[in-house]
Amino acid sequence: MTGLPYPRLDAVVAAQRGVFTTAQALDVGMHPREIQRGLADGHWVRLRRGVFAPSRFVTEADAAGRHVLQARAAHLTLRSPIAFSHTSAAMVHGLPAYDLDLSEVHVTHPDGASSGRHEGGVWHHVGALTTERVRTVDGLPVSDLARTSLDVARVASPASALVIADAACARGVTQEQVRRDLEACMDWPGARRASRVLPLADGRAESPGESLARWALHQLDLAPDELQLEIRTDEGVVRVDFAWIRWRLVGEFDGKIKYGRLVKPGETASDVAWRERRRELAIERASWGVVRFGWADVHDLPRLGRLVVGGRGRAERRWVR
């Protein structure tokens, strides 16, 4: 695991989920020159001063995984009681990382027991965080899901924040919790930004793409009336991503990940496309219009607006005939 013949160090790395310190390496009998050689040979990667990880842990991880390794490294060196918060807590909780700045670790000191500062790649935040709002996730102390959503929404872009908040709601955070947290922090930095996003959070969003589409539609004043609406068709009950009930129009977000989930054993991508086409025709026979949009569309507001308004027009013309 470590790349060097020290089984006791392997046990430390396993227990700490991929990280170890200089002191721990010396404690198992390693000489300082061996530590330097392990770095020079590429067996290890230095995460921060005095903390390392086997290189494969870093190279095989995605951006979120590498950030969690950085958080684990910080946890071994920060002395005062802390809880990981903001984007760091989001990554430890396993929430989706869409367009988040993961270059630095974020911690909050419980009960505001420290001053705000930035040092050694770690942001130390000021803000009341009682022990009741701290959870232990994979061995790390982190702010709970509701507080994490709030803190991310105070520092991240609205689109990124809604992705996080939707995912947190899907895992049990309620709108009442969101409302209480917003009220409690209205004089905190970034609270006004958070208040634009968090009331829109909805656990029915099934992917980051759907969350992004909903934020884009909100900006266009084209917010759907319902999410995950079930429609009875002659092919059975189908569930659609978005529905504008007043227009008899449904919207479907088409993403590669979504279609990957739809592929059944023995099927090809063309099989899925044909099945989706049959589903769309069934929805139209049930007197609903259908508009589809994907990643490129939700990043181009005028284009998305034209798609939805055009879909509305087609649906209305169908009713006139």
Side-chain angles (χ1 to χ4, degrees), residues 251-273:
E252 293 281 75
F253 178 82
D254 293 337
K256 292 181 180 178
I257 295 175
K258 174 178 176 177
Y259 278 103
R261 292 200 308 263
L262 294 176
V263 177
K264 298 177 180 178
E267 283 190 333
T268 65
S270 60
D271 294 327
V272 174

Side-chain angles (χ1 to χ4, degrees), residues 49-291:
R49 184 176 180 180
V51 188
F52 313 94
S55 59
R56 72 176 183 84
F57 278 68
V58 178
T59 58
E60 294 176 3
D62 58 11
R66 291 191 294 273
H67 184 85
V68 172
L69 281 175
Q70 292 287 352
R72 294 192 183 283
H75 190 230
L76 291 178
T77 58
L78 297 177
R79 299 304 176 202
S80 59
I82 56 95
F84 292 95
S85 60
H86 298 72
T87 51
S88 296
M91 297 304 94
V92 175
H93 277 296
L95 298 175
Y98 171 78
D99 198 28
L100 291 174
D101 181 358
L102 300 179
S103 62
E104 296 181 296
V105 171
H106 293 258
V107 302
T108 296
H109 293 256
D111 301 314
S114 180
S115 59
R117 67 189 189 279
H118 174 257
E119 60 184 22
V122 178
W123 278 102
H124 296 258
H125 293 273
V126 175
L129 180 61
T130 62
T131 55
E132 290 77 15
R133 300 298 301 272
V134 177
R135 304 287 182 267
T136 299
V137 178
D138 289 336
L140 294 177
V142 297
S143 54
D144 65 22
L145 283 168
R147 174 60 183 270
T148 297
S149 299
L150 168 64
D151 287 339
V152 170
R154 292 194 297 122
V155 300
S157 71
S160 301
L162 188 58
V163 169
I164 292 291
D166 280 354
C169 286
R171 290 167 56 173
V173 172
T174 67
Q175 272 294 342
E176 176 60 22
Q177 288 175 291
V178 170
R179 183 190 62 78
R180 288 199 307 266
D181 282 352
L182 273 174
E183 289 178 352
C185 79
M186 284 312 296
D187 59 342
W188 293 6
R192 186 179 299 275
R193 177 205 298 251
S195 68
R196 295 174 54 211
V197 177
L198 292 182
L200 302 176
D202 195 313
R204 291 175 294 175
E206 295 185 336
S207 71
E210 290 181 27
S211 299
L212 295 174
R214 204 166 80 260
W215 174 249
L217 292 165
H218 172 76
Q219 291 178 282
L220 291 164
D221 291 326
L222 292 171
D225 302 317
E226 275 293 342
L227 306 182
Q228 308 305 327
L229 181 69
E230 292 187 341
I231 297 174
R232 293 188 177 277
T233 75
D234 53 18
E235 295 270 347
V237 175
V238 301
R239 191 175 61 178
V240 298
D241 297 334
F242 309 100
W244 293 267
I245 296 173
R246 60 196 185 278
W247 302 333
R248 298 285 292 185
L249 177 67
V250 304
E252 293 281 75
F253 178 82
D254 293 337
K256 292 181 180 178
I257 295 175
K258 174 178 176 177
Y259 278 103
R261 292 200 308 263
L262 294 176
V263 177
K264 298 177 180 178
E267 283 190 333
T268 65
S270 60
D271 294 327
V272 174
W274 170 241
R275 182 152 40 86
E276 282 297 292
R277 178 56 180 158
R278 285 183 54 188
R279 177 175 174 276
E280 181 176 322
L281 292 171
I283 294 170
E284 291 176 343
R285 289 194 298 273
S287 300
W288 288 82
V290 180
V291 60

